[in-house]
Amino acid sequence: MDYKELIKRCKKRDPEAQKSLYNQLSVPIYKVCIRYFDNEFDAEDTLISGLYKFFHNIDKFEYNNEAKLFGWVKRIVVNEALMLIRSRTNFNMVGSDNAQNMSSDISPLGDLHAQDLLKMIRELPVGYRTVFNLHVIEGYNHVEIGEMLEIKTNTSKSQLHKAKAILKKRINKNSQYYGT
Amino acid sequence: MEHESLRDKLELMDLNQVDGLQWDKERAWTRLNGQLQSTNPKKDITWYSGIAASLVFLILSLSGYIMLNHFGSSKRDGGFYKKQLSSNSITIKEQVCAEECESTEPYNIPEEPLKKALYTAPVFARTIHDTPKQDSTVVVSPNIAQKAKPIYENPSEQGVDFNRSEVKEVAEDIYITKETIAERSYRTEGILSSTPLARKKYKFPIKLFQRKNKSRSSSDKSIPALTLFASK
């Protein structure tokens, strides 16, 4: 797939090129969206608003390589997701108690199947899920997350800790259930 | 790095194997495409289309201006206002002069039909001081009120349908009369209708109906003419 040519045509607002590029981007980007929401509707809305912004501002994008393209679109979509979540959620409602002394061991998550991992993430409360996604999956630090979500660093740490605690509990419960 | 392994795992995941997930990629494209096409510039639109649109707008504006001047003009002569309103069913010839208005008797023109007439008049609604609220005070000269009275009292006998344009014309006439009053430094209808002294002094004009909200009328200090009268 020649992304460079596709993007060139998309800059000329060629509908066929837009469709082709959508076909390439939509599934991997939707996988990002679905991590941030517990329902498909919000995920799809975020995908559409993010891709719309991408196509609308494609003139500003200079194609170097595939990774840069996907990274750019992903960043737009994550921002869209955060905007939607922020509009509905008060992250500061969760306290920042004991945020400094928390275990970050979630190694059992690595043993899960991708579908189970996604299911567990999506079942988390929205605040925990968002911070978990940003920190554990995307790799942002707590200062960056604090700026993105307009919350204190300790609040971010606290939410992450609680998210991990819930995940651990569920993993243990599943292990006992399956006798592993 | 833990986040890389987890991310890779999630990115390589097959969406079809996620329980309960029924995402329709084509439906999402239809939605996105709809948004994109509504903002994509049309290929065949060129710079001269804008100029053509501007020319059409200019021609329409000029036509409207000429039509208004030709058919909707009013003549004013030394405080006299003369206007002829005609339609298929009624003809009203009116001559109004503030100095000639002697009557201070209010005309009992029913409120609802008059309101209906006034609120169906776009010109009136756009320009009246405090419209289009239900409690607007309307003042007209006795002459025009006298002419208007039978129309409002017995619209059917006069061949008036309140949904038709004649009523708008009557309302427009009332408005123009109000303007004439304003030109003669009587200022606003609010003052003239709410100040008995002013009514007695100038014997003009009269109210057809008053504000329902009395407190608003009496406490509205924002009307500049109120101060004017008070100082006299």
Side-chain angles (χ1 to χ4, degrees):
Chain A
M1 175 60 59
D2 187 356
Y3 285 112
K4 194 171 185 177
E5 179 60 27
L6 265 184
I7 286 167
K8 197 174 166 186
R9 284 168 56 200
C10 285
K11 285 182 180 180
K12 293 176 184 171
R13 307 292 188 255
D14 177 350
E16 283 180 22
Q18 287 174 332
K19 175 75 196 283
S20 299
L21 197 53
Y22 168 83
N23 283 336
Q24 297 302 314
L25 294 170
S26 58
V27 172
I29 297 302
Y30 185 72
K31 285 178 188 172
V32 175
C33 297
I34 201 73
R35 291 205 299 263
Y36 284 85
F37 299 100
D38 58 359
N39 68 80
E40 298 154 41
F41 309 108
D42 287 338
E44 185 175 302
D45 284 350
T46 302
L47 174 84
I48 289 170
S49 60
L51 288 180
Y52 174 78
K53 280 193 176 173
F54 164 70
F55 282 116
H56 199 65
N57 296 296
I58 200 166
D59 292 332
K60 299 170 190 166
F61 179 70
E62 285 298 324
Y63 180 79
N64 292 331
N65 54 54
E66 195 177 321
K68 188 184 172 188
L69 170 66
F70 278 82
W72 201 58
V73 180
K74 191 174 153 187
R75 210 159 48 243
I76 294 172
V77 167
V78 169
N79 279 338
E80 286 296 304
L82 295 182
M83 276 171 62
L84 184 59
I85 293 165
R86 268 207 311 263
S87 69
R88 297 173 179 168
T89 312
N90 184 358
F91 288 91
N92 291 309
M93 291 296 284
V94 179
S96 56
D97 51 315
N98 303 322
Q100 305 295 334
N101 307 312
M102 292 168 182
S103 159
S104 61
D105 178 29
I106 49 162
S107 52
L109 283 177
D111 300 331
L112 291 172
H113 289 295
Q115 290 79 9
D116 297 331
L117 174 63
L118 178 67
K119 187 170 181 282
M120 281 191 179
I121 292 171
R122 293 180 69 201
E123 283 173 355
L124 287 171
V126 59
Y128 304 168
R129 181 170 64 233
T130 308
V131 174
F132 183 87
N133 269 315
L134 290 171
H135 184 78
V136 178
I137 312 292
E138 315 288 0
Y140 290 105
N141 63 42
H142 287 294
V143 176
E144 290 169 323
I145 294 170
E147 287 169 2
M148 291 163 96
L149 299 178
E150 296 170 359
I151 57 175
K152 292 175 183 171
T153 307
N154 274 355
T155 307
S156 171
K157 288 178 182 174
S158 172
Q159 301 223 13
L160 178 66
H161 170 71
K162 288 171 180 171
K164 286 178 175 178
I166 290 174
L167 289 171
K168 263 186 193 175
K169 200 173 171 182
R170 288 187 184 162
I171 292 167
N172 290 337
K173 196 177 171 185
N174 284 356
S175 302
Q176 284 170 6
Y177 181 79
Y178 291 111
T180 54
Chain B
M1 296 290 284
E2 68 179 7
H3 72 265
E4 283 175 352
S5 62
L6 290 176
R7 189 171 59 206
D8 289 346
K9 185 178 271 193
L10 291 169
E11 284 180 357
L12 294 170
M13 167 187 67
D14 183 357
L15 277 179
N16 295 323
Q17 291 181 5
V18 178
D19 286 342
L21 188 65
Q22 293 177 330
W23 180 53
D24 188 342
K25 186 178 158 182
E26 286 306 312
R27 183 193 58 202
W29 165 248
T30 307
R31 288 180 62 198
L32 174 62
N33 191 40
Q35 292 184 23
L36 287 172
Q37 296 316 313
S38 66
T39 52
N40 276 357
K42 300 281 182 206
K43 283 181 180 175
D44 54 350
I45 289 182
T46 46
W47 60 272
Y48 52 79
S49 302
I51 295 175
S54 304
L55 277 173
V56 169
F57 178 74
L58 189 67
I59 289 164
L60 287 173
S61 304
L62 275 172
S63 313
Y65 179 76
I66 290 164
M67 292 273 282
L68 277 173
N69 272 293
H70 187 70
F71 298 108
S73 64
S74 59
K75 293 176 184 174
R76 290 166 192 273
D77 181 17
F80 284 84
Y81 165 67
K82 196 178 278 184
K83 185 178 171 72
Q84 179 170 312
L85 296 170
S86 63
S87 69
N88 292 332
S89 55
I90 59 166
T91 300
I92 303 169
K93 286 184 181 174
E94 194 59 68
Q95 188 170 13
V96 177
C97 172
E99 284 82 5
E100 287 179 1
C101 301
E102 297 292 329
S103 172
T104 55
E105 279 297 309
Y107 290 86
N108 296 317
I109 292 176
E111 185 175 324
E112 285 309 315
L114 179 60
K115 278 185 186 175
K116 193 173 177 183
L118 296 178
Y119 296 144
T120 54
V123 175
F124 192 90
R126 275 201 304 276
T127 47
I128 192 169
H129 180 63
D130 197 11
T131 54
K133 294 170 187 169
Q134 286 277 320
D135 60 353
S136 296
T137 301
V138 176
V139 177
V140 298
S141 75
N143 281 351
I144 197 147
Q146 202 163 26
K147 294 288 180 185
K149 187 181 175 186
I151 299 169
Y152 293 123
E153 282 182 345
N154 292 303
S156 56
E157 282 181 20
Q158 299 293 323
V160 174
D161 175 359
F162 278 109
N163 294 319
R164 284 167 57 181
S165 58
E166 305 92 284
V167 178
K168 294 180 183 178
E169 289 176 341
V170 170
E172 188 182 7
D173 206 9
I174 291 169
Y175 166 67
I176 293 166
T177 307
K178 185 171 75 69
E179 282 291 280
T180 311
I181 296 161
E183 280 177 14
R184 292 175 173 279
S185 304
Y186 297 127
R187 303 297 178 193
T188 66
E189 76 280 8
I191 293 306
L192 291 167
S193 59
S194 62
T195 316
L197 181 65
R199 279 211 301 274
K200 194 176 177 185
K201 185 176 177 183
Y202 296 105
K203 296 178 182 177
F204 179 83
I206 56 153
K207 284 181 294 187
L208 289 181
F209 59 88
Q210 274 187 311
R211 291 175 193 272
K212 279 184 177 174
N213 186 354
K214 294 282 184 187
S215 61
R216 182 182 169 191
S217 175
S218 59
S219 64
D220 191 351
K221 301 281 193 298
S222 65
I223 300 171
L226 185 64
T227 319
L228 194 71
F229 272 112
S231 64
K232 284 183 178 177

